[in-house]
Amino acid sequence: MKKNLFILVIILFLFPCTLGMSASSSQLIVPSLDEIKTEEQVAIIVYSDDADLQVEKEKLKAQGVAIRYIFNYALKGFSVEATNDKLAQIERNQTIHHLTTVKNYTVQAENDNIQLIGGEAIRGYFDDDNHRLTGEGVKVGVIDTGIDYRHPDLRISYGGGKDLVDQDDDPMETVNMGRLDTLHGTHVAGIIAANGKVKGVAPKAEVIAYRALGPGGSGTTEQVLQAIEQAMKDKVDVINLSLGNNVNGPDLPISLALNKAVDSGIVAVTSSGNSGPGIWSVGSPGTAAKAISVGASTPTLKVPYLHIGKKEMKLYPMQGTIPWDLNKSFELYNGGIGKEEQLKGANGKVVIVERGELTFTEKSKNAKEAGALALLIYNNTPGSFMGNLEELLDIPVVSLTKEDGEEINQELSQAKRLYGQTVIKEEKDILAEFSSRGPVTSTWEIKPDVVAPGVAINSTVPGGYTPLQGTSMAAPHVAGAAALLIQAHPEWRPEQVKAALMNTALSMVNEDGTPYRTFEQGAGRIQLKEALMTSTLIYPSSIQFGKFKLSEQHHDHVAKITVENTTDEKQSYAFEIPKKQKGIEWRLPLSFMLEPNEKKTISLHMIVNPKELTEKLADGTIRLNSNKQTIQLPYLYVLEEPDYPRVMGFSFGKGDSKKTYRYEVYLPGGAEEFGIALFDSTSLTFIGMLDWKKDVKKGQVEEDLVISDLPQPGLYIAKVFARKSGQEDWIETRLFIGANGELEMIGN
């Protein structure tokens, strides 16, 4: 049994919350800010490249700052323990590039998958030593919850590792701790390199396990940074991070460390997050510029569609349930939220219940015991969701959108009986609803870079096998694919591996046949055989032309790319003129030739008249044709301040001393006004401001406040808002204040 050792860190409390408009948010009126008027914590200090770490170390010691860990590979800097006052003083040091407190990271989880990406077809190809492409000789670091290295499918692949939670050499999953047990890392490792009953993408790759996420699948910035640092010391070829948070920013330490890892020669692969389908939802470290950020698509799935009259509604099968096999008309029954007493009339019917209060498993068990044929769970927030049951039940359980669920209940309330039937459709290469979309705030980069199967993926877990879903499951497909490409091309640098996967990806379309936006799918779904056989590499493999201002006249934005002929034959190249857009003209190179194995850097010019642009975000593809293949380069530009969320990543909890509490929030573009407003939970009356600021710089905001600033005990609505360039966004949550100053954040 792994010991649960706790160190002093700032805990990021992650609760469900609502961004943007909600039923009550429009009623929470914050007065004009003009009308209203330190303790120890762990932080990461990143120094500029020209800083002398030994000198800086002595300076910190002289100031009474405790140094915890030294980072020489992933970052240049330290993790330290100090008071807020000292940290503020340290941050003014000219040699400091970045300072941030330690954050929490969590796993990102929610079978023809390997065949779909070409993982089986590629087995027929050989490396220069005449070995089949299986990942042999390639080291893949898995930074996750650990690995069950005793699993029969992973024993051969396991190559040791490190536990950064308990600080030992035993990276075993958390076991024998009840609900805190983990399985995520074992599942991820199996997708990459299982070699037994289940075969991974690269079954003969060597997996090095780094346990950075402990009980319950949670870990800190410090632990993840240590894992990246150790992987760099171990000189792995690929690292996979199926973890993240909900902060869409390029400058958090984990993202910066991944860029350093890539510079050192490691292919870094990370999940984009499970906060879709809204744009701007990709989270760190999926925002790292040089890493391969991976979104989730569906393998071949049989998806049921519910028909009620002329209305068709998509049902999303939950993991851990039997397939939907109802092939005749059935009666629908409103089961409330799925409590036993609400299901007395459910026998022989398909029950619809609302998400919330009870777990999916509890709802399903209650429906089964009531004699229901199947269970529909509709969302309690706008849009759809995909979930997992905690145990296998012999009743079909599916989810559907809030809008569809409410429409069904509306019809049930008006009819004595309501009947429906289902039609099964086969789908594949559809972007998963939960898959986070880009682009990245501040840098305006296209993320994710590619997508891979991430729904209903069967893989290894401690004691057996189970299907899971999430971008966590998509990322290891790409990590395994990278291992195969490295075996075939050991001379390739990380940017070439990334280019091979992006340049040859399959551009995807939705159910209506409309192409997904570039910041939804990146270059598309990976195709391993095509990546292996590519005759040309172009990098960078997506282009961001920056931000245009309406005050500008015609402006020439330039992007430089490198085109590399990877064959032993001369090749000719020619660009296609992109589709005409109002306000944009292109100046692209004329046709050109490349000798065998020659590469050339060329410039692409976008000439823009911002006054004629109509969209805040505009994207598309530039096509380059050779005599062997066509490569599509995704591009993106933004106009003025686009509609990214002005505030994200809010957390709130007790401070390190008895009479303080702390909040953290991320402002992607800064804010002209920022505040935390409190309202009475019943009357919605404005109570006061917990904190407010003007002209706040972009990035992480962290503040400790004293308990005396809190209002009287009770339940309040907290509206965390930021205003910039005429746009206001907010996060709304509930805050319970106890009689003795105890605090609890309660998500909607």
Side-chain angles (χ1 to χ4, degrees), residues 68 84 95 139 149 210 230 295 361 575 584 622 671 673 678 689 715:
R68 295 168 58 85
N84 289 327
T95 61
K139 294 167 67 173
Y149 44 75
Y210 302 99
Q230 188 62 49
T361 304
F575 283 96
I584 296 178
I622 299 173
E673 294 182 0
L678 286 186
M689 302 291 293
L715 181 64

Side-chain angles (χ1 to χ4, degrees), residues 47-48 50 56 89-97:
Y47 287 87
S48 56
D50 57 354
E56 300 300 336
Q89 181 180 352
I90 292 167
E91 193 170 15
R92 292 193 286 271
N93 187 331
Q94 295 294 320
T95 61
I96 289 180
H97 174 66

Side-chain angles (χ1 to χ4, degrees), residues 17 26 95 148 245 365 443 560 586 605 613 620 629 639 647:
C17 54
S26 60
T95 61
D148 180 6
N245 60 31
K365 284 183 175 180
T443 60
K560 293 184 180 296
W586 296 92
H605 292 255
L613 299 180
Q629 67 183 113
L639 177 63
V647 58

